[in-house]
Amino acid sequence: MGDHEQSGAPLEGGAGPEPGMPGPVLRARAVGIDTFQEHVAYLHRACPVYRAEGFEALNKVEIRSGGRRILAVLNMVDSDSLIEPGELGLSSEAFRRLRARDGDAVEIAHAEAPASMPALRRKIRGERLDRADFEALVRDIAGYRYSKLELAAFVVATSQFELDRDEIVDLTEAMTAAGRRLEWHERPVVDKHCIGGIPGNRTSMLVVPIVAAHGMLMPKTSSRAITSPAGTADTMAVLAEVDLSIGRMSEIVRGLRGCLAWGGHAGLSPADDVLISVERPLQLDSPPQMVASILSKKLAAGSTHLVLDIPVGPSAKVRSMAEAQRLRRLFEYVASRLNLVLDVVVSDGRQPIGRGIGPVLEARDVMQVLDGNPRAPADLRNKALRLAGRVLEFDPDVRGGDGFALARDILDSGRALAKMNEIIEAQGRRVPPAPASLVHEVLASSDGVVCRLHNLRLATIARLAGAPKIPVAGVDLFCRLGDRVAKGQPLYRIHASIAADLAFARRMAIQDPGIGLGRPEDVPKAYVEG
């Protein structure tokens, strides 16, 4: 594997005075505040620099130290308990990217406006942008040259004034080019991705060992959860180390044909990580942003072929087949323009996949499927086989329609389990802990048929219980759509390791358990392709 760096890396360069021009010198101080993908600096109001330079709260400043520079949003401090007048406090992200040490001399100066600010203002007005505009915008976003307020304006503008198809192509290309791009020097390099919104949907942890056991190259880099109770990286971290360097990941993939790693160190499409930090709190996930986010990450990872899972259901991101088909056509257009072979699968998103919601519980489900355990969730197994089969059909030696049976043979023979164990050993095996011991069971309030399993509600209850930050927390489901239950029968069990977390989750479950009971005819029909 090879890779190369593109311009616009967030640690180097930026607007402001020419390199070498001195500014006021202060002492760096790590204040230990997590500002999540934003550089924030803290200046004491009694500091002589404050009045001499005319700084104000929310100014953007340039900070230099040891030949490196970053841009940050300035906050003013009135208490000596955080920093002293001669110090410049730095948030955790700013301190890390500046590679500073406590007490290092740092220079601070006013930052010039990002060069792409005119393009940002035009998009806020609803105007169309060209490729050069998007390239400039993405460079400045990846370079942390915008504040969260300015980024929020961009995200809202691209959501309100929806990008046309060619704008999405330009944005995707710009996001791909702004960071590292991996080269594997072979075809096909395959991947599988779900647009999200379905708890427990850990099919990637089954698809990767099945496909790798067949011999196809599948270097899977996944994200950690931000607003969900578990991401693939969170769940894999229960079983093995996922924080891998590019070099180590390359060795594993070359030797075993696959991996399941966290993508945080890869530097793939870095502007996407910055934009996500704004989109998620706003709960904005417009189709253009979704397409550019997903495809830029896959292209940067060196993928040539992708199976894309679009779940459809009453509480999924996509609520109707018509909406799914519009999204499918958009993905297909952009992928074809960027020479990415794409196969879209529309799947059943009416309810969570598997039983567990939360890293440890989801890892249990995955290993049960790989082990052939009779208690393994059948829906997780079947969906993983369907998706793995579609990936295997990218192999020119596999006939169309034969992928499912081939995937099933690899799983049932134990080859997938053996491959998963090889990957786990290579990445660094961990012993999975037991689910959290503080529990509360949510009981059926009446007799009836399960006709509603609300994805977001159940995910929120699992998060309140502590997942994913506490991997042993979460929700263990005991029922599926169409099941007949009796009054007092357990519907699911909440696991928590902190009493307060259990109380929060229990309170939400009392308000609305996320499971509805009714008659058989009330069960929503599945929107699934054949």
Side-chain angles (χ1 to χ4, degrees), residues 20-67:
M21 290 185 65
V25 177
L26 299 169
R27 299 187 309 276
R29 172 81 175 271
V31 296
I33 297 176
D34 181 0
T35 52
F36 188 47
Q37 295 285 345
E38 185 172 27
H39 298 162
V40 179
Y42 302 86
L43 186 65
H44 200 291
R45 204 178 298 272
C47 181
V49 171
Y50 163 57
R51 294 194 182 278
E53 298 295 321
F55 290 125
E56 294 180 1
L58 298 186
N59 280 170
K60 276 190 290 186
V61 294
E62 179 174 335
I63 303 166
R64 297 172 181 268
S65 178

Side-chain angles (χ1 to χ4, degrees), residues 186-482:
E186 66 175 272
R187 284 177 71 93
V189 178
V190 298
D191 204 345
K192 165 261 158 193
H193 188 86
C194 176
I195 67 168
I198 308 298
N201 194 22
R202 293 284 76 83
T203 53
S204 291
M205 293 178 64
L206 296 164
V207 173
V208 169
I210 290 172
V211 171
H214 178 68
M216 299 177 76
L217 195 73
M218 192 167 183
K220 183 66 178 173
T221 59
S222 302
S223 61
R224 293 187 182 274
I226 297 177
T227 58
S228 66
T232 297
D234 301 295
T235 305
M236 185 62 181
V238 171
L239 305 173
E241 174 63 50
V242 296
D243 190 358
L244 308 179
S245 68
I246 289 292
R248 188 174 170 203
M249 187 181 86
S250 174
E251 291 177 6
I252 293 170
V253 172
R254 286 297 181 201
L256 301 178
R257 309 299 288 170
C259 72
L260 284 151
W262 175 53
H265 280 323
L268 308 177
S269 188
D272 182 49
D273 296 327
V274 179
L275 289 172
I276 285 174
S277 71
V278 175
E279 292 166 359
R280 294 290 171 85
L282 292 174
Q283 295 187 334
L284 287 175
D285 198 9
S286 67
Q289 293 163 347
M290 182 190 300
V291 171
S293 172
I294 292 171
L295 296 189
S296 66
K297 278 278 173 65
K298 301 308 174 187
L299 290 164
S303 299
T304 63
H305 294 66
L306 172 66
V307 168
L308 182 72
D309 175 22
I310 301 180
V312 183
S315 60
K317 284 185 179 180
V318 177
R319 306 293 173 87
S320 69
M321 183 58 80
E323 187 182 351
Q325 294 298 347
R326 284 194 297 271
L327 187 60
R328 174 185 196 152
R329 289 191 292 270
L330 187 57
F331 268 106
E332 288 174 340
Y333 177 82
V334 177
S336 66
R337 288 282 304 275
L338 300 177
N339 298 315
L340 178 67
V341 179
L342 180 68
D343 181 17
V344 176
V345 177
V346 177
S347 63
D348 184 0
R350 295 173 299 164
Q351 60 187 330
I353 301 295
R355 290 196 302 272
I357 305 175
V360 163
L361 295 167
E362 293 179 27
R364 174 206 63 193
D365 288 354
V366 167
M367 295 311 297
Q368 284 181 346
V369 172
L370 287 169
D371 286 334
N373 189 313
R375 299 187 65 250
D379 60 335
L380 177 62
R381 172 188 160 92
N382 291 334
K383 183 171 184 178
L385 287 175
R386 183 184 179 204
L387 294 172
R390 299 287 275 262
V391 175
L392 290 173
E393 288 172 15
F394 286 140
D395 183 344
D397 293 331
V398 177
R399 290 189 305 176
D402 287 352
F404 182 91
L406 178 57
R408 184 184 58 208
D409 289 345
I410 292 171
L411 179 63
D412 290 346
S413 69
R415 290 167 58 201
L417 174 61
K419 180 60 67 174
M420 184 61 152
N421 279 324
E422 288 178 344
I423 292 172
I424 289 172
E425 291 294 343
Q427 292 187 198
R429 181 178 292 275
R430 292 173 173 171
V431 178
S437 58
L438 297 179
V439 299
H440 170 71
E441 290 192 343
V442 175
L443 310 179
S445 59
S446 64
D447 297 344
V449 171
V450 177
C451 59
R452 170 178 170 261
L453 278 150
H454 197 281
N455 289 305
L456 179 58
R457 189 72 180 184
L458 291 167
T460 302
I461 291 170
R463 281 186 63 84
L464 287 175
K469 288 187 176 181
I470 302 176
V472 294
V475 166
D476 209 6
L477 291 170
F478 300 145
C479 62
R480 312 296 299 164
L481 284 175

Side-chain angles (χ1 to χ4, degrees), residues 3 44 70 87 104 131 139 261 293 393 402 427 481 515:
D3 63 77
H44 200 291
I70 62 169
E87 296 177 326
D104 280 359
R131 178 170 300 188
R139 277 196 302 269
S293 172
E393 288 172 15
D402 287 352
Q427 292 187 198
L481 284 175
I515 295 182

